[in-house]
């Protein structure tokens, strides 16, 4: 209760930043010229605001998007405010592993550096669906696509950090809703990938957000072991009404948002923690942490479990493999949890 009151009055935490400042304010003075950032989910909402602020501070921004037209419109809006900013629009559908691979191949062909990767895109699927790879849509989009994207881009990030001396940063956007999930993570992934009768939209979304935190936890351990000059952190942006809720529009949703309006953030405020973690000089060498309101916070017990992070990593490696079998692969997701995950995936 005390923490909620502090947030409502805009009190700052140990970082000196609190809930209220927008992303523009927390990045004031940041010079991102010569840096390149890839930002998923940047065609609207928090992602677009993150891209705008990064471009305003001088970064070259790459926007991979399923809807290229929407991404071009975002590019035009940003460049109208920030003339001369470099925005690169490319096609990528996070729910398709082959599309993620094509994007990485096309990005590498541009011979650009890569300093910052912000895995921001999120999907809340009210109705059950399965991807072309045989994985439940919410988990595939929110976690597995970002897992593969990060895996394939990490070599470029490490190379950029080595050549420039500028520490690379990976930011995974999760949600406090991750704490709503309990139970056997991999078993539920397997169940909802094979049987829609087991599907609950909110639980599936919470599962994907736990996966974001666990991904960050294990990735940071691997980066440390590899002595990579790259960090990985996770953020809860805050509660804000964005297009993520477009499948749940209606009287009940409107009522919930009205009753909680004092706890809601504006989109510029919601983008602040992501931008802070991606750019703050004070977070050099800080990795494997979870942030909310521009301060370190504490994820759920499940999301802090190194053994669960280890198991999820191994399962994600299996599911994102080109050899994963759509018809039979999900039957073995749980079995992989009993195996050792690799220390390196390069």
């Amino acid at each position: 209760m005390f923490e909620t009151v502090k947030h409502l009055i805009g009190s700052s935490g140990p970082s000196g930043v609190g809930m209220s400042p927008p992303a523009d304010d927390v990045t004031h003075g940041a010079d991102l010229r010569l840096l390149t950032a890839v930002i998923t989910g940047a065609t609207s909402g928090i992602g677009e605001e993150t891209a705008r602020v990064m471009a305003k501070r001088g970064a070259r921004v790459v926007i991979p998007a399923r809807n290229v037209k929407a991404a071009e419109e975002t590019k035009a809006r940003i460049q109208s405010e920030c003339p001369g900013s470099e925005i690169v629009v490319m096609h990528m559908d996070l729910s398709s592993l082959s599309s993620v691979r094509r994007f990485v191949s096309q990005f590498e062909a541009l011979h650009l550096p890569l300093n910052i990767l912000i895995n921001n895109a999120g999907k809340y699927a009210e109705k059950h669906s399965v991807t072309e790879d045989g994985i439940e849509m919410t988990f595939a989009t929110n976690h597995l696509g970002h897992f593969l994207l990060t895996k394939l881009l990490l070599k470029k990030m490490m190379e950029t950090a080595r050549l420039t001396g500028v520490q690379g940063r990976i930011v995974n956007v999760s949600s406090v809703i991750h704490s709503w999930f309990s139970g056997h993570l991999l078993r539920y992934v397997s169940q909802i990938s094979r049987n829609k009768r087991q599907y609950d939209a909110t639980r599936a979304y919470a599962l994907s957000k736990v996966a974001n935190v666990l991904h960050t936890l294990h990735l940071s351990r691997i980066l440390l072991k590899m002595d990579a000059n790259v960090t990985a952190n996770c953020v809860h942006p805050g509660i804000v009404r964005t297009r993520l809720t477009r499948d749940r529009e209606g009287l009940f949703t409107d009522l919930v948002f009205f009753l909680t309006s004092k706890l809601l953030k504006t989109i510029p405020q919601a983008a602040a923690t992501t931008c802070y973690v991606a750019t703050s000089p004070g977070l050099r060498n800080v990795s494997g942490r979870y942030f909310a309101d521009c301060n370190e916070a504490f994820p759920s017990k499940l999301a802090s479990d190194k053994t669960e992070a280890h198991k999820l990593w191994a399962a994600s490696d299996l599911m994102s493999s080109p050899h994963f079998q759509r018809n039979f692969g999900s039957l073995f997701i749980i079995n992989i949890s009993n195996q050792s995950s690799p220390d390196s995936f390069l």
Side-chain angles (χ1 to χ4, degrees), residues 217-244:
L217 182 63
H218 199 71
L219 175 59
S220 66
R221 187 189 74 81
I222 288 177
L223 292 170
L224 180 63
K225 189 158 189 172
M226 296 172 67
D227 197 27
N229 190 22
V230 178
T231 64
N233 289 293
C234 195
V235 305
H236 162 54
I239 303 172
V240 59
R241 190 169 195 174
T242 70
R243 288 181 60 202
L244 185 65

PDB file of all heavy atoms in Angstrom, residues 217-244:
ATOM      1  N   LEU A 217      16.657 -13.482 -17.408  1.00  0.00           N
ATOM      2  CA  LEU A 217      17.473 -14.034 -16.327  1.00  0.00           C
ATOM      3  C   LEU A 217      18.544 -14.975 -16.870  1.00  0.00           C
ATOM      4  O   LEU A 217      19.728 -14.867 -16.517  1.00  0.00           O
ATOM      5  CB  LEU A 217      16.566 -14.770 -15.333  1.00  0.00           C
ATOM      6  CG  LEU A 217      17.217 -15.384 -14.098  1.00  0.00           C
ATOM      7  CD1 LEU A 217      17.835 -14.299 -13.230  1.00  0.00           C
ATOM      8  CD2 LEU A 217      16.181 -16.182 -13.294  1.00  0.00           C
ATOM      9  N   HIS A 218      18.150 -15.909 -17.732  1.00  0.00           N
ATOM     10  CA  HIS A 218      19.124 -16.882 -18.235  1.00  0.00           C
ATOM     11  C   HIS A 218      20.055 -16.250 -19.269  1.00  0.00           C
ATOM     12  O   HIS A 218      21.252 -16.582 -19.326  1.00  0.00           O
ATOM     13  CB  HIS A 218      18.419 -18.092 -18.828  1.00  0.00           C
ATOM     14  CG  HIS A 218      19.307 -19.296 -18.936  1.00  0.00           C
ATOM     15  ND1 HIS A 218      19.726 -20.001 -17.841  1.00  0.00           N
ATOM     16  CD2 HIS A 218      19.887 -19.892 -20.013  1.00  0.00           C
ATOM     17  CE1 HIS A 218      20.518 -21.007 -18.230  1.00  0.00           C
ATOM     18  NE2 HIS A 218      20.624 -20.952 -19.547  1.00  0.00           N
ATOM     19  N   LEU A 219      19.523 -15.349 -20.088  1.00  0.00           N
ATOM     20  CA  LEU A 219      20.361 -14.659 -21.074  1.00  0.00           C
ATOM     21  C   LEU A 219      21.477 -13.884 -20.390  1.00  0.00           C
ATOM     22  O   LEU A 219      22.629 -13.899 -20.847  1.00  0.00           O
ATOM     23  CB  LEU A 219      19.501 -13.717 -21.918  1.00  0.00           C
ATOM     24  CG  LEU A 219      20.237 -12.831 -22.929  1.00  0.00           C
ATOM     25  CD1 LEU A 219      21.019 -13.667 -23.931  1.00  0.00           C
ATOM     26  CD2 LEU A 219      19.244 -11.913 -23.646  1.00  0.00           C
ATOM     27  N   SER A 220      21.169 -13.223 -19.300  1.00  0.00           N
ATOM     28  CA  SER A 220      22.196 -12.447 -18.593  1.00  0.00           C
ATOM     29  C   SER A 220      23.302 -13.362 -18.080  1.00  0.00           C
ATOM     30  O   SER A 220      24.485 -12.994 -18.075  1.00  0.00           O
ATOM     31  CB  SER A 220      21.580 -11.656 -17.445  1.00  0.00           C
ATOM     32  OG  SER A 220      21.085 -12.509 -16.429  1.00  0.00           O
ATOM     33  N   ARG A 221      22.937 -14.568 -17.646  1.00  0.00           N
ATOM     34  CA  ARG A 221      23.941 -15.514 -17.168  1.00  0.00           C
ATOM     35  C   ARG A 221      24.862 -15.954 -18.309  1.00  0.00           C
ATOM     36  O   ARG A 221      26.083 -16.052 -18.151  1.00  0.00           O
ATOM     37  CB  ARG A 221      23.253 -16.744 -16.551  1.00  0.00           C
ATOM     38  CG  ARG A 221      24.222 -17.706 -15.872  1.00  0.00           C
ATOM     39  CD  ARG A 221      23.537 -18.993 -15.471  1.00  0.00           C
ATOM     40  NE  ARG A 221      23.260 -19.848 -16.615  1.00  0.00           N
ATOM     41  CZ  ARG A 221      24.169 -20.649 -17.176  1.00  0.00           C
ATOM     42  NH1 ARG A 221      25.408 -20.682 -16.721  1.00  0.00           N
ATOM     43  NH2 ARG A 221      23.840 -21.397 -18.198  1.00  0.00           N
ATOM     44  N   ILE A 222      24.276 -16.188 -19.486  1.00  0.00           N
ATOM     45  CA  ILE A 222      25.067 -16.597 -20.638  1.00  0.00           C
ATOM     46  C   ILE A 222      25.991 -15.466 -21.087  1.00  0.00           C
ATOM     47  O   ILE A 222      27.163 -15.691 -21.404  1.00  0.00           O
ATOM     48  CB  ILE A 222      24.132 -17.041 -21.787  1.00  0.00           C
ATOM     49  CG1 ILE A 222      23.494 -18.386 -21.439  1.00  0.00           C
ATOM     50  CG2 ILE A 222      24.880 -17.132 -23.101  1.00  0.00           C
ATOM     51  CD1 ILE A 222      22.512 -18.884 -22.457  1.00  0.00           C
ATOM     52  N   LEU A 223      25.473 -14.238 -21.113  1.00  0.00           N
ATOM     53  CA  LEU A 223      26.296 -13.097 -21.516  1.00  0.00           C
ATOM     54  C   LEU A 223      27.492 -12.930 -20.583  1.00  0.00           C
ATOM     55  O   LEU A 223      28.612 -12.634 -21.021  1.00  0.00           O
ATOM     56  CB  LEU A 223      25.448 -11.820 -21.524  1.00  0.00           C
ATOM     57  CG  LEU A 223      24.362 -11.745 -22.593  1.00  0.00           C
ATOM     58  CD1 LEU A 223      23.439 -10.550 -22.335  1.00  0.00           C
ATOM     59  CD2 LEU A 223      24.978 -11.645 -23.981  1.00  0.00           C
ATOM     60  N   LEU A 224      27.270 -13.136 -19.296  1.00  0.00           N
ATOM     61  CA  LEU A 224      28.351 -13.031 -18.326  1.00  0.00           C
ATOM     62  C   LEU A 224      29.394 -14.116 -18.565  1.00  0.00           C
ATOM     63  O   LEU A 224      30.602 -13.852 -18.546  1.00  0.00           O
ATOM     64  CB  LEU A 224      27.782 -13.141 -16.915  1.00  0.00           C
ATOM     65  CG  LEU A 224      28.801 -13.049 -15.758  1.00  0.00           C
ATOM     66  CD1 LEU A 224      29.487 -11.683 -15.757  1.00  0.00           C
ATOM     67  CD2 LEU A 224      28.103 -13.299 -14.419  1.00  0.00           C
ATOM     68  N   LYS A 225      28.944 -15.329 -18.800  1.00  0.00           N
ATOM     69  CA  LYS A 225      29.852 -16.437 -19.014  1.00  0.00           C
ATOM     70  C   LYS A 225      30.672 -16.241 -20.292  1.00  0.00           C
ATOM     71  O   LYS A 225      31.835 -16.659 -20.371  1.00  0.00           O
ATOM     72  CB  LYS A 225      29.070 -17.750 -19.086  1.00  0.00           C
ATOM     73  CG  LYS A 225      29.952 -18.981 -19.092  1.00  0.00           C
ATOM     74  CD  LYS A 225      29.188 -20.194 -18.625  1.00  0.00           C
ATOM     75  CE  LYS A 225      30.148 -21.376 -18.433  1.00  0.00           C
ATOM     76  NZ  LYS A 225      29.480 -22.533 -17.792  1.00  0.00           N
ATOM     77  N   MET A 226      30.066 -15.605 -21.294  1.00  0.00           N
ATOM     78  CA  MET A 226      30.756 -15.351 -22.560  1.00  0.00           C
ATOM     79  C   MET A 226      31.642 -14.107 -22.502  1.00  0.00           C
ATOM     80  O   MET A 226      32.323 -13.796 -23.470  1.00  0.00           O
ATOM     81  CB  MET A 226      29.717 -15.190 -23.678  1.00  0.00           C
ATOM     82  CG  MET A 226      28.905 -16.435 -23.950  1.00  0.00           C
ATOM     83  SD  MET A 226      27.545 -16.125 -25.120  1.00  0.00           S
ATOM     84  CE  MET A 226      28.471 -15.788 -26.602  1.00  0.00           C
ATOM     85  N   ASP A 227      31.590 -13.399 -21.377  1.00  0.00           N
ATOM     86  CA  ASP A 227      32.326 -12.148 -21.215  1.00  0.00           C
ATOM     87  C   ASP A 227      31.947 -11.150 -22.315  1.00  0.00           C
ATOM     88  O   ASP A 227      32.789 -10.416 -22.845  1.00  0.00           O
ATOM     89  CB  ASP A 227      33.839 -12.401 -21.229  1.00  0.00           C
ATOM     90  CG  ASP A 227      34.623 -11.227 -20.665  1.00  0.00           C
ATOM     91  OD1 ASP A 227      34.067 -10.483 -19.823  1.00  0.00           O
ATOM     92  OD2 ASP A 227      35.786 -11.016 -21.086  1.00  0.00           O
ATOM     93  N   ALA A 228      30.654 -11.135 -22.658  1.00  0.00           N
ATOM     94  CA  ALA A 228      30.158 -10.227 -23.689  1.00  0.00           C
ATOM     95  C   ALA A 228      29.912  -8.847 -23.089  1.00  0.00           C
ATOM     96  O   ALA A 228      29.414  -8.729 -21.968  1.00  0.00           O
ATOM     97  CB  ALA A 228      28.854 -10.767 -24.280  1.00  0.00           C
ATOM     98  N   ASN A 229      30.244  -7.821 -23.846  1.00  0.00           N
ATOM     99  CA  ASN A 229      30.002  -6.447 -23.384  1.00  0.00           C
ATOM    100  C   ASN A 229      28.570  -6.037 -23.750  1.00  0.00           C
ATOM    101  O   ASN A 229      28.331  -5.027 -24.416  1.00  0.00           O
ATOM    102  CB  ASN A 229      31.021  -5.497 -24.010  1.00  0.00           C
ATOM    103  CG  ASN A 229      30.969  -4.106 -23.377  1.00  0.00           C
ATOM    104  OD1 ASN A 229      30.491  -3.934 -22.257  1.00  0.00           O
ATOM    105  ND2 ASN A 229      31.447  -3.116 -24.114  1.00  0.00           N
ATOM    106  N   VAL A 230      27.624  -6.864 -23.328  1.00  0.00           N
ATOM    107  CA  VAL A 230      26.196  -6.676 -23.624  1.00  0.00           C
ATOM    108  C   VAL A 230      25.423  -7.041 -22.364  1.00  0.00           C
ATOM    109  O   VAL A 230      25.730  -8.043 -21.716  1.00  0.00           O
ATOM    110  CB  VAL A 230      25.727  -7.569 -24.792  1.00  0.00           C
ATOM    111  CG1 VAL A 230      24.233  -7.393 -25.057  1.00  0.00           C
ATOM    112  CG2 VAL A 230      26.537  -7.279 -26.056  1.00  0.00           C
ATOM    113  N   THR A 231      24.440  -6.233 -22.023  1.00  0.00           N
ATOM    114  CA  THR A 231      23.593  -6.525 -20.868  1.00  0.00           C
ATOM    115  C   THR A 231      22.181  -6.863 -21.321  1.00  0.00           C
ATOM    116  O   THR A 231      21.766  -6.518 -22.431  1.00  0.00           O
ATOM    117  CB  THR A 231      23.539  -5.337 -19.891  1.00  0.00           C
ATOM    118  OG1 THR A 231      22.926  -4.210 -20.547  1.00  0.00           O
ATOM    119  CG2 THR A 231      24.934  -4.962 -19.410  1.00  0.00           C
ATOM    120  N   ALA A 232      21.443  -7.533 -20.443  1.00  0.00           N
ATOM    121  CA  ALA A 232      20.039  -7.865 -20.722  1.00  0.00           C
ATOM    122  C   ALA A 232      19.221  -7.583 -19.476  1.00  0.00           C
ATOM    123  O   ALA A 232      19.534  -8.093 -18.396  1.00  0.00           O
ATOM    124  CB  ALA A 232      19.899  -9.329 -21.126  1.00  0.00           C
ATOM    125  N   ASN A 233      18.202  -6.771 -19.617  1.00  0.00           N
ATOM    126  CA  ASN A 233      17.321  -6.446 -18.502  1.00  0.00           C
ATOM    127  C   ASN A 233      15.873  -6.493 -18.959  1.00  0.00           C
ATOM    128  O   ASN A 233      15.585  -6.497 -20.161  1.00  0.00           O
ATOM    129  CB  ASN A 233      17.661  -5.074 -17.923  1.00  0.00           C
ATOM    130  CG  ASN A 233      18.985  -5.080 -17.181  1.00  0.00           C
ATOM    131  OD1 ASN A 233      19.124  -5.708 -16.130  1.00  0.00           O
ATOM    132  ND2 ASN A 233      19.988  -4.386 -17.728  1.00  0.00           N
ATOM    133  N   CYS A 234      14.965  -6.509 -17.992  1.00  0.00           N
ATOM    134  CA  CYS A 234      13.543  -6.659 -18.258  1.00  0.00           C
ATOM    135  C   CYS A 234      12.788  -5.519 -17.590  1.00  0.00           C
ATOM    136  O   CYS A 234      13.208  -5.041 -16.529  1.00  0.00           O
ATOM    137  CB  CYS A 234      13.096  -8.000 -17.694  1.00  0.00           C
ATOM    138  SG  CYS A 234      11.502  -8.580 -18.269  1.00  0.00           S
ATOM    139  N   VAL A 235      11.683  -5.077 -18.188  1.00  0.00           N
ATOM    140  CA  VAL A 235      10.938  -3.961 -17.615  1.00  0.00           C
ATOM    141  C   VAL A 235       9.437  -4.231 -17.590  1.00  0.00           C
ATOM    142  O   VAL A 235       8.890  -4.937 -18.441  1.00  0.00           O
ATOM    143  CB  VAL A 235      11.185  -2.637 -18.394  1.00  0.00           C
ATOM    144  CG1 VAL A 235      12.670  -2.326 -18.484  1.00  0.00           C
ATOM    145  CG2 VAL A 235      10.566  -2.676 -19.790  1.00  0.00           C
ATOM    146  N   HIS A 236       8.798  -3.651 -16.588  1.00  0.00           N
ATOM    147  CA  HIS A 236       7.335  -3.513 -16.556  1.00  0.00           C
ATOM    148  C   HIS A 236       7.054  -2.047 -16.865  1.00  0.00           C
ATOM    149  O   HIS A 236       7.427  -1.166 -16.093  1.00  0.00           O
ATOM    150  CB  HIS A 236       6.797  -3.877 -15.177  1.00  0.00           C
ATOM    151  CG  HIS A 236       5.406  -3.377 -14.920  1.00  0.00           C
ATOM    152  ND1 HIS A 236       4.349  -3.649 -15.774  1.00  0.00           N
ATOM    153  CD2 HIS A 236       4.888  -2.607 -13.923  1.00  0.00           C
ATOM    154  CE1 HIS A 236       3.250  -3.080 -15.299  1.00  0.00           C
ATOM    155  NE2 HIS A 236       3.548  -2.441 -14.187  1.00  0.00           N
ATOM    156  N   PRO A 237       6.416  -1.752 -18.008  1.00  0.00           N
ATOM    157  CA  PRO A 237       6.237  -0.349 -18.394  1.00  0.00           C
ATOM    158  C   PRO A 237       5.192   0.395 -17.576  1.00  0.00           C
ATOM    159  O   PRO A 237       5.189   1.628 -17.548  1.00  0.00           O
ATOM    160  CB  PRO A 237       5.804  -0.444 -19.864  1.00  0.00           C
ATOM    161  CG  PRO A 237       5.135  -1.784 -19.960  1.00  0.00           C
ATOM    162  CD  PRO A 237       5.900  -2.683 -19.019  1.00  0.00           C
ATOM    163  N   GLY A 238       4.314  -0.342 -16.907  1.00  0.00           N
ATOM    164  CA  GLY A 238       3.212   0.293 -16.202  1.00  0.00           C
ATOM    165  C   GLY A 238       1.904  -0.085 -16.875  1.00  0.00           C
ATOM    166  O   GLY A 238       1.881  -0.694 -17.942  1.00  0.00           O
ATOM    167  N   ILE A 239       0.803   0.276 -16.256  1.00  0.00           N
ATOM    168  CA  ILE A 239      -0.515  -0.049 -16.801  1.00  0.00           C
ATOM    169  C   ILE A 239      -0.986   1.117 -17.652  1.00  0.00           C
ATOM    170  O   ILE A 239      -1.119   2.245 -17.177  1.00  0.00           O
ATOM    171  CB  ILE A 239      -1.517  -0.313 -15.676  1.00  0.00           C
ATOM    172  CG1 ILE A 239      -0.998  -1.445 -14.770  1.00  0.00           C
ATOM    173  CG2 ILE A 239      -2.887  -0.688 -16.238  1.00  0.00           C
ATOM    174  CD1 ILE A 239      -1.831  -1.647 -13.531  1.00  0.00           C
ATOM    175  N   VAL A 240      -1.213   0.844 -18.910  1.00  0.00           N
ATOM    176  CA  VAL A 240      -1.626   1.890 -19.843  1.00  0.00           C
ATOM    177  C   VAL A 240      -2.533   1.264 -20.881  1.00  0.00           C
ATOM    178  O   VAL A 240      -2.346   0.108 -21.284  1.00  0.00           O
ATOM    179  CB  VAL A 240      -0.396   2.553 -20.512  1.00  0.00           C
ATOM    180  CG1 VAL A 240       0.426   1.529 -21.272  1.00  0.00           C
ATOM    181  CG2 VAL A 240      -0.814   3.680 -21.445  1.00  0.00           C
ATOM    182  N   ARG A 241      -3.526   2.004 -21.307  1.00  0.00           N
ATOM    183  CA  ARG A 241      -4.430   1.478 -22.330  1.00  0.00           C
ATOM    184  C   ARG A 241      -3.812   1.692 -23.704  1.00  0.00           C
ATOM    185  O   ARG A 241      -3.622   2.811 -24.150  1.00  0.00           O
ATOM    186  CB  ARG A 241      -5.797   2.168 -22.259  1.00  0.00           C
ATOM    187  CG  ARG A 241      -6.826   1.486 -23.145  1.00  0.00           C
ATOM    188  CD  ARG A 241      -8.226   2.007 -22.868  1.00  0.00           C
ATOM    189  NE  ARG A 241      -9.220   1.127 -23.442  1.00  0.00           N
ATOM    190  CZ  ARG A 241     -10.518   1.272 -23.252  1.00  0.00           C
ATOM    191  NH1 ARG A 241     -10.968   2.247 -22.497  1.00  0.00           N
ATOM    192  NH2 ARG A 241     -11.365   0.438 -23.808  1.00  0.00           N
ATOM    193  N   THR A 242      -3.477   0.590 -24.360  1.00  0.00           N
ATOM    194  CA  THR A 242      -2.892   0.646 -25.692  1.00  0.00           C
ATOM    195  C   THR A 242      -3.677  -0.277 -26.606  1.00  0.00           C
ATOM    196  O   THR A 242      -4.670  -0.887 -26.215  1.00  0.00           O
ATOM    197  CB  THR A 242      -1.418   0.202 -25.670  1.00  0.00           C
ATOM    198  OG1 THR A 242      -1.370  -1.215 -25.405  1.00  0.00           O
ATOM    199  CG2 THR A 242      -0.618   0.957 -24.626  1.00  0.00           C
ATOM    200  N   ARG A 243      -3.200  -0.452 -27.821  1.00  0.00           N
ATOM    201  CA  ARG A 243      -3.857  -1.346 -28.771  1.00  0.00           C
ATOM    202  C   ARG A 243      -3.788  -2.808 -28.325  1.00  0.00           C
ATOM    203  O   ARG A 243      -4.472  -3.665 -28.878  1.00  0.00           O
ATOM    204  CB  ARG A 243      -3.210  -1.204 -30.151  1.00  0.00           C
ATOM    205  CG  ARG A 243      -3.540   0.116 -30.846  1.00  0.00           C
ATOM    206  CD  ARG A 243      -2.884   0.194 -32.217  1.00  0.00           C
ATOM    207  NE  ARG A 243      -3.353  -0.885 -33.071  1.00  0.00           N
ATOM    208  CZ  ARG A 243      -2.686  -1.328 -34.127  1.00  0.00           C
ATOM    209  NH1 ARG A 243      -1.499  -0.810 -34.417  1.00  0.00           N
ATOM    210  NH2 ARG A 243      -3.172  -2.285 -34.873  1.00  0.00           N
ATOM    211  N   LEU A 244      -2.972  -3.104 -27.316  1.00  0.00           N
ATOM    212  CA  LEU A 244      -2.883  -4.466 -26.817  1.00  0.00           C
ATOM    213  C   LEU A 244      -4.241  -4.978 -26.367  1.00  0.00           C
ATOM    214  O   LEU A 244      -4.531  -6.173 -26.443  1.00  0.00           O
ATOM    215  CB  LEU A 244      -1.894  -4.516 -25.648  1.00  0.00           C
ATOM    216  CG  LEU A 244      -1.561  -5.886 -25.060  1.00  0.00           C
ATOM    217  CD1 LEU A 244      -0.841  -6.745 -26.092  1.00  0.00           C
ATOM    218  CD2 LEU A 244      -0.719  -5.732 -23.819  1.00  0.00           C
TER     219      LEU A 244
END
